[in-house]
Amino acid sequence: MPKIIENKLIQAFKDRSSFDRDALYNFYLDFEPDLKESTFSWRIYDLKKKDIIKTIGRGLYVISYKPKYKPLLSDSVFKIARKTNERFEDIKYAIWETQWLNEFSQHQTSNQMIVVEVEKEFVDSLYYYLNDNLRMDFFLNPDEKEIQFYISESNVPVIIKRLVTRAPIQKIKNKKAVVPIATLEKIMVDLFADENLLHFYQGSEMVNIYEKIIDRYSINFTKLFSYAKRRKKEQEIKQFISNNIPNFLEDIKYD
């Protein structure tokens, strides 16, 4: 695809909050009046591969001027990942830490917490293994009392809990380890679903976090709402976005 057309496409759509497949097809017709559907599908594939556009919903796109989210991982996270990978080679798990949210929150919190979620069959095994092999404060499925009296007193509590099936996860690789982490879509939902555990991010702080995440990064709302549905928070999150980010959902198509 000629570079000049790609540049024109970026200029045409960069200021839109989103655009659909029809709008993209009509753009190409100005340059290729006889464009076939099969060829157009390859055009879309090529644009995605070059990271010129990203999918945020079914048949809905944005220009990829927003960076891909890649948080900085602490040494503690790498230690947990290495130990987990050594002992449990093929299990599915995900890690994230609340320090990442300081990028989006208005008030910088000193409450540092690491959340490790794993397939339900391995929750107990992973907890006991990590607790025996790492000098950290591990908590297994903490209840409200533990959250209030014990976790709040720990410098860096590590929560071990069940991973919801088909939770959105991405992997970060470097020389230290391969680390499966929670995506922003997952974190946004978990803020609602785990409100007791993440109580210091509720209320107006939640609004700040959602606004800045949506403004700075491309979010796949089909993926977000699919996961929210499994956590029984889909309608609550849609209502929250509708109330606090006016007109935003009108531009988002999802199933």
Side-chain angles (χ1 to χ4, degrees), residues 84-95:
T84 302
N85 295 342
E86 287 173 8
R87 178 65 178 84
F88 303 93
E89 186 176 354
D90 297 320
I91 65 170
K92 189 172 185 179
Y93 72 99
I95 305 177

Side-chain angles (χ1 to χ4, degrees), residues 9 13 16 18-29 35-45 47-48 53 55 57-62 253:
L9 186 150
F13 294 104
R16 297 194 191 186
S18 64
F19 53 92
D20 60 20
R21 186 182 176 91
D22 289 340
L24 194 55
Y25 183 71
N26 288 330
F27 168 84
Y28 275 108
L29 287 180
L35 181 64
K36 295 180 180 179
E37 175 61 30
S38 58
T39 305
F40 177 56
S41 294
W42 277 107
R43 294 282 184 270
I44 292 178
Y45 173 80
L47 290 170
K48 290 181 181 179
I53 67 171
T55 301
R58 184 166 297 177
L60 193 68
Y61 312 98
V62 292
K253 296 180 182 178

Side-chain angles (χ1 to χ4, degrees), residues 106-107 191-192 195 198-211 236 240 244:
Q106 182 175 3
H107 302 98
L191 287 171
F192 274 84
E195 59 180 338
L198 304 169
H199 57 89
F200 33 83
Y201 293 110
Q202 304 304 307
S204 60
E205 198 65 277
M206 182 95 78
V207 177
N208 293 321
I209 291 170
Y210 263 66
E211 285 180 337
E236 185 177 341
F240 173 82
N244 294 287

Side-chain angles (χ1 to χ4, degrees), residues 67-71 100-101 103-104 170 181-184 187 217:
K68 183 176 181 180
Y69 182 66
K70 189 175 180 180
W100 300 350
L101 294 175
E103 177 183 348
F104 312 111
Q170 68 185 73
I181 67 168
T183 65
L184 281 178
I187 293 171
Y217 298 98

Side-chain angles (χ1 to χ4, degrees), residues 94-109:
I95 305 177
W96 72 279
E97 47 190 326
T98 56
Q99 287 291 92
W100 300 350
L101 294 175
N102 280 342
E103 177 183 348
F104 312 111
S105 57
Q106 182 175 3
H107 302 98
Q108 304 297 290
T109 178

Side-chain angles (χ1 to χ4, degrees):
M1 187 187 308
K3 187 71 175 179
I4 189 171
I5 295 179
E6 294 177 357
N7 290 336
K8 286 181 180 293
L9 186 150
I10 293 170
Q11 290 301 316
F13 294 104
K14 68 176 184 178
D15 293 326
R16 297 194 191 186
S17 59
S18 64
F19 53 92
D20 60 20
R21 186 182 176 91
D22 289 340
L24 194 55
Y25 183 71
N26 288 330
F27 168 84
Y28 275 108
L29 287 180
D30 289 340
F31 303 93
E32 303 175 76
D34 299 323
L35 181 64
K36 295 180 180 179
E37 175 61 30
S38 58
T39 305
F40 177 56
S41 294
W42 277 107
R43 294 282 184 270
I44 292 178
Y45 173 80
D46 189 53
L47 290 170
K48 290 181 181 179
K49 187 176 180 181
K50 293 179 178 178
D51 202 28
I52 294 173
I53 67 171
K54 289 183 180 180
T55 301
I56 60 171
R58 184 166 297 177
L60 193 68
Y61 312 98
V62 292
I63 296 295
S64 300
Y65 64 92
K66 297 178 181 178
K68 183 176 181 180
Y69 182 66
K70 189 175 180 180
L72 292 175
L73 307 187
S74 66
D75 288 340
S76 295
V77 164
F78 281 115
K79 288 178 182 178
I80 293 169
R82 282 198 300 270
K83 278 297 177 184
T84 302
N85 295 342
E86 287 173 8
R87 178 65 178 84
F88 303 93
E89 186 176 354
D90 297 320
I91 65 170
K92 189 172 185 179
Y93 72 99
I95 305 177
W96 72 279
E97 47 190 326
T98 56
Q99 287 291 92
W100 300 350
L101 294 175
N102 280 342
E103 177 183 348
F104 312 111
S105 57
Q106 182 175 3
H107 302 98
Q108 304 297 290
T109 178
S110 59
N111 295 64
Q112 186 177 356
M113 180 190 300
I114 297 172
V115 180
V116 183
E117 296 169 276
V118 62
E119 294 173 282
K120 64 179 180 180
E121 294 86 357
F122 298 96
V123 172
D124 289 352
S125 299
L126 181 62
Y127 166 75
Y128 289 114
Y129 177 73
L130 293 178
N131 196 45
D132 288 342
N133 287 276
L134 293 174
R135 292 185 177 181
M136 299 182 188
D137 294 335
F138 291 95
F139 297 88
L140 177 63
N141 296 318
D143 57 24
E144 190 171 350
K145 182 179 179 181
E146 288 178 295
I147 293 170
Q148 182 177 357
F149 292 102
Y150 299 106
I151 292 177
S152 61
E153 296 299 319
S154 173
N155 289 329
V156 186
V158 182
I159 312 302
I160 310 291
K161 60 197 292 287
R162 182 177 70 86
L163 179 69
V164 175
T165 57
R166 302 195 304 280
I169 296 169
Q170 68 185 73
K171 290 185 177 181
I172 291 182
K173 301 178 182 179
N174 73 2
K175 294 180 180 179
K176 293 183 179 180
V178 177
V179 186
I181 67 168
T183 65
L184 281 178
E185 291 88 352
K186 181 182 186 316
I187 293 171
M188 290 168 76
V189 173
D190 290 343
L191 287 171
F192 274 84
D194 300 322
E195 59 180 338
N196 286 334
L197 182 62
L198 304 169
H199 57 89
F200 33 83
Y201 293 110
Q202 304 304 307
S204 60
E205 198 65 277
M206 182 95 78
V207 177
N208 293 321
I209 291 170
Y210 263 66
E211 285 180 337
K212 289 181 180 177
I213 287 177
I214 291 171
D215 180 61
R216 295 177 185 178
Y217 298 98
S218 293
I219 298 300
N220 187 320
F221 284 90
T222 297
K223 183 184 296 184
L224 186 152
F225 289 130
S226 177
Y227 177 62
K229 187 174 184 178
R230 290 195 294 281
R231 299 220 63 183
K232 297 179 171 39
K233 293 293 180 179
E234 181 184 16
Q235 295 306 318
E236 185 177 341
I237 291 175
K238 287 178 180 177
Q239 190 62 53
F240 173 82
I241 294 174
S242 180
N243 290 344
N244 294 287
I245 311 177
N247 304 319
F248 182 78
L249 287 182
E250 295 177 5
D251 296 327
I252 300 297
K253 296 180 182 178
Y254 46 84
D255 297 324

